[in-house]
Every structure is written in C-alpha cells, then in structure tokens.
Amino acid sequence: MDWLTLIAVDSAALINLLIARLLGKQYVRTLWFIQALGLLIFPMIIVPYTDTWVLPVVASGLLGTAMLFSKNRPWWLRILGAVVTGVATVAAGILKPSAIIPMVAIVALAAASGLRYFKWRKLMIGAGLALILATSSSLTYVGLQGAVKRQHFLAVNPALKIPAIHFINMGMSGCDGSYNPDDALKMAELPAKKDKVAYSQKMIKKRFKEWGIGGYATFLVRKQGYNMEAGSFGWLGEGTFMHVGQPDRGWRWIYQPLLYPTGANTKLFFFVSQLVWIGMLNVTLCGWQRRDFWANALRWALIGAWLFLLIFEGGRSRYMIQFLPAMLLLTTITWEQAVQVITRALINIGFKQVKGAVTQQ
C-alpha cells in the first residue's frame, strides 16, 4: 500500500508536467520546481490514503481535457483526449466521486464557450467528440462495474451502500461539518436505504432549523476556513496511524524528526508547509488578471471543489489533496501575472513609505 501511494503521487506529478507541456512549454520549468518543492513537504506520500490514490486518475482526466480542448492540435490527439477524459472521469467517480469535479467543470465551461461562439462546423466537431467521450465513459463504467461483480476477493453488498444525502447531513454537523461518528453509526444500524435517507433528511431539517439562515451562512464561512487552513493537510492531526520509536539513522533521519509523532522538529515542518501553502493561495489569488480559457476552467474546478466540500462532508484540509493537480496547474499558469501584481503592490507600498518619511522630515 505504501508503494502504491508513492507510485500514485509521483505518476500524477509526471502527468501534470505533460499537461503543462500541452498548455505551453514555458510552464514546464515553473511546474517542475513547484511540484519538487511540494513533494518535499508532502507527508501523505508515505501513508495509504484514497485521496492520494486518485491523484493520477484526476491528472489523467485533466490531461485528457488538455488534449481535447487544445488549439492547433492534430485531430487524432483530440479524439484520444475525448477517450482519456471519459475513462478517467468514470474511474475517478468510482474511486472518489468528488474527484470528477475538475473534469466536469472544464467540459462544462468548454461547452458554454462553444455555444457562445456558435458555428455549425465547430458544433459538429464538438458533437462528435462528445459522442466519443460518452461512449468511452459508458464502456468504462460497464467494464469496471462488471469487474467488481466478478471479483471474489471482497464481498460487495450494494444494498449497504450509503446514500449521498448522508454526507450532506454530516456536512452540516458540529462546528466544521466534518466526519460525525454518530451519523456514521446510524447508517450501519439502519439496513434499508429508505431508512438511511429518511434519517438523513430528518437530521438535515433539524440542523438547518437550529442554524437558521444567518447561522448557516456563518457556519459555511467557518467551514471553508477549516477546508483550506492547513498546508500540512492535517498531518498528525487526527487518528493514531503511525507507531514508531526513535528516528532511524542515515538518510531517513532527515525526514523522520520532521514528520514522525516522536520527531523533535515537527513544528518546523508545519511552519514550512504552511508558508508554502499560503504562497500558493496568494499566487492563485493575485493571478486574477489571467483570464483565458484554461485559467478560468481551473478556477471553476477549484470553485466546484470548494462548493462540494461546503455542501458535503468537509472540515478537513486533507480533502483538498484530490484537487491538487488542478490547483498546481492554476498556480503555474498564473505565476507570471501574480508576480507582477505582487511586485507592483510591494513597490507602491515602499514608495508610499518613502514619500511619507520625506514628508515628515
């Protein structure tokens, strides 16, 4: 499982570099350094976690959309992009339903842009690519569902599937809308799906009545803070998933004092990871002047992710891991504009300070 996590994270980083090359070769070097820095402070790479396993699937979906909607590309690349997008979207949806949000956002924005600039030729090409995408999605869904039914390693009972409304209910619980053990236990106690749905609906009405409109709006603002607060993605913040003694000698000693519960330098790790996280968020914010299709598409992908985590179970920054490919790409393509905005702001602040000092003299 540890090796699976390592392969998943590293392969997602490599796929992201391919996407950057399709969007513009000038982005490859920037993304290379950003991802290299990110991997140095990404401890989730050493523990099995479904949000890291889905990363290469999400990155593949973004790669498919990059091939599908790239301009001045050969026709076969766009067809291949439709196939890859369909396969990756369905695979991501089965492994982690929320992971389809970036692909859905990009395809929806592309469709809206196509309708805005209506031309029959583009409409026919778009319809053909959409048919290929739908076909690849359907075949992938049927194939994966068939594989689940045919396997005998794990017993799968579809009747015990937890309805989506349960996660909406948990998303309204507590002070941060995170995992609620009482609601989870109730889902195990209620065997019938209709009973699970009825319980969740009752709790949603009860909690919304307790919050009120103003209280719920305040709750969502606070929840968004919990969703985005930690650059460490909640490392060592919950659970007892790691039991170790003293750090090893040799090269492992470099990281174990920083990451292990018994490490002496964990505060340094939290400080550095938070610094990098704040930097990434500031770049995506200050790069607002970049407004082409891909910048807007990746912004909508992140907005969709935030809306999902606000409505459904959230309250944990580690839930943002599955959306890192989109966030890293957005940071990369808006880097130049963000640096310009930040530089101008610093110059203006410095100029005002100097002017104020001269005036006082």
Side-chain angles (χ1 to χ4, degrees), residues 50 53-61 84-104 137 140-141 144-145 148 161-162 164 167 308 322-323:
T50 52
W53 295 351
V54 80
L55 283 175
V57 187
V58 174
S60 296
V84 172
T85 301
V87 172
T89 301
V90 171
I94 291 176
L95 182 58
K96 199 85 174 177
S98 54
I100 70 172
I101 291 174
M103 286 78 81
V104 172
S137 299
T140 303
Y141 180 81
L144 290 178
Q145 290 295 333
V148 171
K161 184 178 180 180
I162 298 176
F167 298 99
F308 180 91
Q322 60 191 299
F323 306 113

Side-chain angles (χ1 to χ4, degrees), residues 122-196:
K122 290 186 177 181
L123 178 63
M124 297 302 294
I125 295 174
L129 293 173
L131 180 60
I132 295 173
L133 193 155
T135 302
S136 64
S137 299
S138 301
L139 293 176
T140 303
Y141 180 81
V142 172
L144 290 178
Q145 290 295 333
V148 171
K149 292 178 181 179
R150 289 190 299 270
Q151 61 86 30
H152 301 289
F153 184 73
L154 291 173
V156 179
N157 186 353
L160 298 179
K161 184 178 180 180
I162 298 176
I165 193 172
H166 160 71
F167 298 99
I168 298 178
N169 175 38
M170 281 209 299
M172 298 177 65
S173 66
C175 65
D176 55 5
S178 61
Y179 177 80
N180 187 312
D182 295 331
D183 290 331
L185 180 61
K186 201 67 179 178
M187 291 297 102
E189 294 175 350
L190 298 172
K193 181 179 178 180
K194 63 178 183 179
D195 294 331
K196 299 177 192 287

Side-chain angles (χ1 to χ4, degrees), residues 58-342:
V58 174
S60 296
L62 294 175
L63 176 63
T65 58
M67 293 189 290
L68 181 59
F69 300 119
S70 294
K71 296 181 179 179
N72 303 321
R73 300 291 180 183
W75 60 268
W76 62 265
L77 187 65
R78 303 190 69 181
I79 293 175
L80 179 61
V83 174
V84 172
T85 301
V87 172
T89 301
V90 171
I94 291 176
L95 182 58
K96 199 85 174 177
S98 54
I100 70 172
I101 291 174
M103 286 78 81
V104 172
I106 294 172
V107 172
L109 183 62
S113 301
L115 292 175
R116 183 179 178 183
Y117 303 102
F118 180 83
K119 290 183 179 180
W120 280 107
R121 181 175 178 275
K122 290 186 177 181
L123 178 63
M124 297 302 294
I125 295 174
L129 293 173
L131 180 60
I132 295 173
L133 193 155
T135 302
S136 64
S137 299
S138 301
L139 293 176
T140 303
Y141 180 81
V142 172
L144 290 178
Q145 290 295 333
V148 171
K149 292 178 181 179
R150 289 190 299 270
Q151 61 86 30
H152 301 289
F153 184 73
L154 291 173
V156 179
N157 186 353
L160 298 179
K161 184 178 180 180
I162 298 176
I165 193 172
H166 160 71
F167 298 99
I168 298 178
N169 175 38
M170 281 209 299
M172 298 177 65
S173 66
C175 65
D176 55 5
S178 61
Y179 177 80
N180 187 312
D182 295 331
D183 290 331
L185 180 61
K186 201 67 179 178
M187 291 297 102
E189 294 175 350
L190 298 172
K193 181 179 178 180
K194 63 178 183 179
D195 294 331
K196 299 177 192 287
V197 173
Y199 169 81
S200 298
Q201 289 176 340
K202 184 181 82 169
M203 293 302 297
I204 288 173
K205 293 177 182 178
K206 177 184 176 182
R207 284 165 175 162
F208 188 76
K209 186 176 180 181
E210 292 173 350
W211 283 116
I213 296 178
Y216 185 60
T218 303
F219 164 77
L220 291 179
V221 173
R222 184 168 61 247
K223 184 179 179 181
Q224 176 65 3
Y226 285 114
N227 290 339
M228 297 293 295
E229 65 174 348
S232 65
F233 300 112
W235 182 254
L236 303 182
E238 52 187 313
T240 53
F241 54 84
M242 187 181 292
H243 301 276
V244 294
Q246 294 299 319
D248 293 335
R249 294 182 178 180
W251 66 270
R252 293 179 180 176
W253 180 86
I254 298 174
Y255 275 102
Q256 289 185 359
L258 292 171
L259 302 180
Y260 279 25
T262 56
N265 301 322
T266 53
K267 290 183 179 180
L268 176 60
F269 160 72
F270 290 129
F271 174 77
V272 174
S273 63
Q274 193 67 12
L275 200 63
V276 174
W277 182 244
I278 292 172
M280 284 184 61
L281 293 177
N282 273 287
V283 170
T284 57
L285 176 65
C286 295
W288 59 272
Q289 290 182 331
R290 177 72 182 267
R291 299 178 185 177
D292 57 36
F293 170 78
W294 279 105
N296 290 333
L298 293 169
R299 286 190 187 103
W300 277 110
L302 290 180
I303 291 172
W306 295 336
L307 290 175
F308 180 91
L309 293 177
L310 285 176
I311 296 172
F312 292 85
E313 177 190 352
R316 297 287 187 270
S317 58
R318 60 183 169 86
Y319 293 157
M320 282 299 298
I321 291 176
Q322 60 191 299
F323 306 113
L324 279 178
M327 188 172 180
L328 288 166
L329 287 169
L330 180 59
T331 302
T332 300
I333 67 174
T334 58
W335 180 271
E336 184 177 349
Q337 289 75 18
V339 169
Q340 293 175 358
V341 169
I342 294 172

